[in-house]
Amino acid sequence: MYPLTIGLAIENRELLDQAQACLQGLPFRVIVEHQDVGDLSNFLDRLERMRPDVVLVDISSWREPLEGLVASIRNAVGDPMIIALHIAADADTILASLRAGINEFLYPPLQEPLRKSLEKRSIERSRRSSSTKGAGKSYGFLSAKGGCGATTLACHVAAELGRQNQKVLLMDLDLDAGLVGFITKTKSVYSILDAVNNLHRLDIHYWKALVSNGIPGVEIVASPLALGSKQQLKDEQVRHVLGFARPNYDWTLVDLGRSLSRLAMAALEEIDEACLVTTLEVPALHQSKQIIQTLLDSGYGKHRLKLILNRAPKRLDITPGDLEKMLGVPIYCMVPNDYPELYEAYAEGRMLTRNSELGKHIAKLAVKLGGLEEESGKSKRFALFG
Ligand SMILES: Nc1ncnc2c1ncn2[C@@H]1O[C@H](COP(=O)(O)OP(=O)(O)OP(=O)(O)O)[C@@H](O)[C@H]1O
Ligand SMILES: [Mg+2]
């Protein structure tokens, strides 16, 4: 059975006793326990830090619209199962709960129905983790030279995979200019540095407290804010953290920053494939060639390298074949140039939408990387876009 984690806010004594009696007999762990449902912001803060799989909330004395409560919980945790508990089976409240998006509504006696709901969720989660496409696959995003778009692509690919119900980890290992937190609007106070400083107690509960969420389905580890953190990270510590984290996700995406740093090289040993993001600018192509050569020389298999041509103009002066000859690896995908769209999104404090042209192309890249859809039989030239 999948080992669910549970967060609960139960004020009513009878409901609390019955829920605890039920949970004591099950192999699930309560990681957030709260008794004052009125003190919602404290509960939400703790949920956001611990991110349980299931949230049990006592709505017996909740007087506000339930939609607001559900939205706040989902905002804090992502997509947990929400079980509303109530002292009575009032038809209007049951209907209002279901309309608000609460997964289950339970009332005393709780023991049997609560056990069944949790076991059902646990079985679903086990099935999901054994049938997922990625099953722990990881991609490292490298910018050939500064500003080629590695961070932009890593963040938006993560968002798209999350949207497709994949469980994604997005980790910022760009210790010079990590922008993952900014783009994804993550409020995290923790970073990879906290993980490496606590390797001795790195377990799933500690990890869940460390990651934060800014995008549904995506857990994020932002870059350390403190300058000089690079010196504090040892290669083997970073590999240890990556090795620990990736089996817990369908996909792990890592922003490795620009060029090929020592830390990026070390991390790549733990990462299945490298997405090298370049543009057509001559210095970027020059750097790409160097990086590809260094990786191949160090034994990194050619099949593990995915070359992504970002900010591609509508008309290429050079054919994809010539580029491949020049760089030694084929172009995996091209993403068009669309600065105004990105500028507008960031100015409004959001990420690209899937309806925008650039958003659509990056979504196609995510689908291709995730092997989530058969490639269509479009002409070769256009198939490369996305
Ligand atoms: N396809 C695109 N079209 C237009 N602008 C883009 C595109 N991709 C990225 N950009 C813009 O290019 C700039 C650099 O992008 P980003 O920060 O993702 O690059 P990077 O490779 O991570 O850079 P760094 O080396 O600083 O980490 C940003 O202003 C971003 O909005
Ligand atoms: Mg970057």
Side-chain angles (χ1 to χ4, degrees):
M1 219 184 306
Y2 188 91
L4 294 177
T5 52
I6 295 168
L8 56 85
I10 307 179
E11 219 163 81
N12 179 276
R13 193 73 238 174
E14 182 192 355
L15 292 175
L16 184 61
D17 289 346
Q18 292 194 17
Q20 281 175 336
C22 168
L23 291 167
Q24 264 160 25
L26 295 170
F28 307 138
R29 220 173 112 159
V30 177
I31 53 172
V32 175
E33 204 161 350
H34 197 77
Q35 276 175 12
D36 180 5
V37 179
D39 179 17
L40 189 64
S41 69
N42 189 4
F43 181 52
L44 293 173
D45 276 354
R46 293 170 67 195
L47 286 184
E48 185 163 5
R49 267 186 287 121
M50 302 304 283
R51 300 177 56 81
D53 300 304
V54 179
V55 176
L56 296 183
V57 56
D58 174 4
I59 58 165
S60 312
S61 48
W62 186 260
R63 298 287 166 259
E64 311 285 321
L66 287 167
E67 279 76 5
L69 176 64
V70 170
S72 309
I73 294 175
R74 297 214 184 280
N75 215 9
V77 191
D79 187 27
M81 175 188 210
I82 304 179
I83 302 181
L85 306 177
H86 199 287
I87 38 172
D90 170 57
D92 286 344
T93 319
I94 297 178
L95 201 62
S97 307
L98 299 179
R99 283 203 180 122
I102 282 172
N103 303 83
E104 304 245 355
F105 179 99
L106 304 179
Y107 50 92
L110 284 184
Q111 194 130 354
E112 258 320 276
L114 182 56
R115 182 183 61 76
K116 280 196 187 136
S117 301
L118 293 175
E119 284 180 355
K120 194 170 130 229
R121 182 64 164 195
S122 167
I123 291 166
E124 279 167 12
R125 292 299 299 266
S126 306
R127 262 198 223 120
R128 213 191 84 175
S129 52
S130 57
S131 67
T132 44
K133 284 276 186 183
K137 186 158 182 182
S138 49
Y139 288 111
F141 284 75
L142 279 172
S143 188
K145 78 165 194 37
C148 289
T151 305
T152 306
L153 295 185
C155 292
H156 286 88
V157 164
E160 179 60 22
L161 291 174
R163 214 176 276 137
Q164 303 236 6
N165 280 328
Q166 306 289 305
K167 196 172 174 202
V168 185
L169 171 68
L170 176 59
M171 188 187 279
D172 196 344
L173 273 187
D174 180 352
L175 306 182
D176 293 316
L179 280 178
V180 166
F182 167 76
I183 293 181
T184 59
K185 297 279 163 277
T186 300
K187 290 184 237 132
S188 175
V189 289
Y190 302 112
S191 72
I192 176 92
L193 209 54
D194 297 280
V196 302
N197 287 336
N198 290 282
L199 284 183
H200 57 286
R201 61 179 179 122
L202 193 57
D203 63 12
I204 192 65
H205 301 291
Y206 182 76
W207 184 256
K208 288 237 163 192
L210 198 86
V211 295
S212 62
N213 65 320
I215 323 173
V218 183
E219 296 190 346
I220 297 162
V221 177
S223 170
L225 292 174
L227 292 172
S229 38
K230 207 170 182 172
Q231 284 70 34
Q232 296 174 45
L233 286 180
K234 296 203 174 70
D235 297 356
E236 63 277 12
Q237 292 173 323
V238 171
R239 282 196 295 264
H240 183 133
V241 173
L242 277 170
F244 163 81
R246 28 181 302 190
N248 295 296
Y249 298 89
D250 301 329
W251 305 97
T252 294
L253 309 185
V254 187
D255 184 347
L256 295 170
R258 59 182 65 176
S259 196
L260 195 53
S261 64
R262 186 216 77 217
L263 194 68
M265 273 299 260
L268 280 173
E269 285 179 33
E270 239 348 287
I271 292 176
D272 296 308
E273 294 182 16
C275 296
L276 175 60
V277 182
T278 186
T279 63
L280 271 184
E281 283 175 282
V282 174
L285 292 176
H286 171 77
Q287 277 295 101
S288 297
K289 200 170 157 63
Q290 304 276 324
I291 292 171
I292 291 168
Q293 202 51 55
T294 309
L295 285 173
L296 296 180
D297 289 349
S298 66
Y300 203 82
K302 199 170 173 174
H303 62 282
R304 294 170 69 195
L305 262 170
K306 304 226 165 331
L307 181 66
I308 299 173
L309 181 59
N310 190 25
R311 310 193 71 163
K314 288 215 169 77
R315 285 189 167 279
L316 291 185
D317 295 334
I318 179 168
T319 68
D322 287 342
L323 264 177
E324 179 176 347
K325 245 185 253 157
M326 183 199 295
L327 298 174
V329 292
I331 298 176
Y332 180 72
C333 135
M334 290 201 254
V335 178
N337 188 33
D338 197 338
Y339 188 75
E341 230 176 61
L342 271 170
Y343 181 85
E344 193 184 317
Y346 294 153
E348 290 174 9
R350 58 173 174 83
M351 293 176 69
L352 288 172
T353 66
R354 207 178 187 268
N355 300 330
S356 63
E357 268 318 297
L358 187 54
K360 277 185 202 151
H361 278 100
I362 303 181
K364 276 197 214 160
L365 167 63
V367 159
K368 191 170 176 184
L369 285 169
L372 299 173
E373 199 181 73
E374 287 301 313
E375 271 186 73
S376 64
K378 292 176 192 161
S379 73
K380 194 158 191 231
R381 191 179 173 86
F382 281 94
L384 281 168
F385 267 101

